[in-house]
């Protein structure tokens, strides 16, 4: 059961319509989460702008891996289905890498440091240690990159919380529960 009314693209507030239509065109359909989120044009358009800006940072595999790790920490099954799908189909991550990302790791050492750091930021609400910062810096991430990782954690957490609160019907292929991976 969903906890909010999922609007169709024809029934969202006018201020959300252009942004939602752009997502629908790019994705090929309107995800239920976006239709629910679009009920607040201010929040939805702000999130879309942040998503667009952060899509220019790091690389798609690292971004999707961070999304998987953060969604796992936050227990967001909806986002885990979305990020698993995009990690496989857009980032071309193998299934083993998707599972590793959900566990807060990656096969690539640099991506692994970013994903571990993102998971630590999420778990500790940003109260990371000097050693955590040193680890992510030692593999080549700059302070600007670290800020971008933190921004990705915040952005993914926003959608995780939204989906945990409103529980939209999942419209991406199901993934196994966290305890079974």
């Amino acid at each position: 059961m969903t906890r909010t009314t999922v609007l169709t693209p024809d029934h969202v507030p006018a201020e959300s319509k252009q942004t939602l239509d752009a997502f629908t065109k790019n994705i090929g359909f309107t995800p239920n989460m976006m239709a629910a989120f679009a009920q607040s044009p201010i929040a939805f358009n702000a999130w879309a702008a942040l998503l667009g800006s952060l899509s220019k940072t790091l690389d798609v595999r690292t971004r999707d891996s961070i999304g998987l790790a953060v969604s796992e920490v936050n227990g967001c099954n909806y986002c885990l289905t979305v990020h698993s799908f995009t990690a496989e189909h857009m980032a071309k991550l193998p299934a083993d890498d998707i599972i590793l990302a959900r566990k807060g790791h990656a096969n690539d050492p640099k991506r692994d440091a970013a994903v571990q750091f993102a998971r630590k930021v999420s778990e500790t609400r940003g109260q990371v240690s000097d050693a955590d910062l040193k680890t992510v810096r030692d593999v080549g991430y700059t302070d600007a990159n670290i800020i971008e990782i933190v921004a990705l954690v915040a952005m993914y957490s926003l959608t995780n919380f939204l989906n945990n609160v409103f529980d939209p019907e999942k419209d991406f292929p199901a993934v196994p529960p966290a305890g079974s991976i």
Side-chain angles (χ1 to χ4, degrees):
M1 178 182 114
T2 59
R3 298 169 83 182
T4 187
T5 303
V6 177
L7 302 173
T8 66
D10 295 333
H11 295 97
V12 299
E15 298 86 354
S16 294
K17 187 146 180 50
Q18 183 177 0
T19 302
L20 187 62
D21 287 349
F23 279 114
T24 299
K25 182 179 177 186
N26 287 337
I27 298 170
F29 73 101
T30 304
N32 291 327
M33 181 274 301
M34 289 186 187
F37 205 166
Q39 292 180 70
S40 169
I42 293 170
F44 180 61
N45 289 320
W47 167 78
L50 182 61
L51 176 66
S53 293
L54 292 177
S55 71
K56 299 171 188 139
T57 186
L58 307 174
D59 62 90
V60 67
R61 287 179 166 211
T62 301
R63 290 190 312 269
D64 273 339
S65 295
I66 289 170
L68 285 159
V70 171
S71 297
E72 192 70 49
V73 168
N74 290 326
C76 182
N77 291 325
Y78 186 95
C79 289
L80 285 168
T81 68
V82 173
H83 292 297
S84 294
F85 182 86
T86 60
E88 178 184 355
H89 297 281
M90 295 176 178
K92 305 296 185 198
L93 280 173
D96 290 349
D97 285 2
I98 293 170
I99 291 169
L100 268 178
R102 287 182 66 183
K103 293 179 178 182
H105 291 283
N107 283 324
D108 174 78
K110 187 170 184 179
R111 187 171 0 114
D112 186 55
V115 173
Q116 284 188 55
F117 184 75
R119 183 176 177 94
K120 185 76 73 144
V121 168
S122 189
E123 289 173 338
T124 67
R125 293 173 177 76
Q127 299 293 322
V128 298
S129 69
D130 290 344
D132 296 325
L133 280 169
K134 181 180 179 340
T135 299
V136 77
R137 285 178 175 141
D138 283 350
V139 296
Y141 287 106
T142 65
D143 284 353
N145 297 139
I146 293 168
I147 292 165
E148 293 158 356
I149 292 168
V150 173
L152 285 164
V153 170
M155 180 188 68
Y156 291 133
S157 293
L158 171 61
T159 55
N160 292 166
F161 297 162
L162 177 96
N163 290 313
N164 285 344
V165 168
F166 290 110
D167 192 26
E169 184 178 334
K170 289 161 193 69
D171 39 21
F172 287 87
V175 295
S180 68
I181 59 169

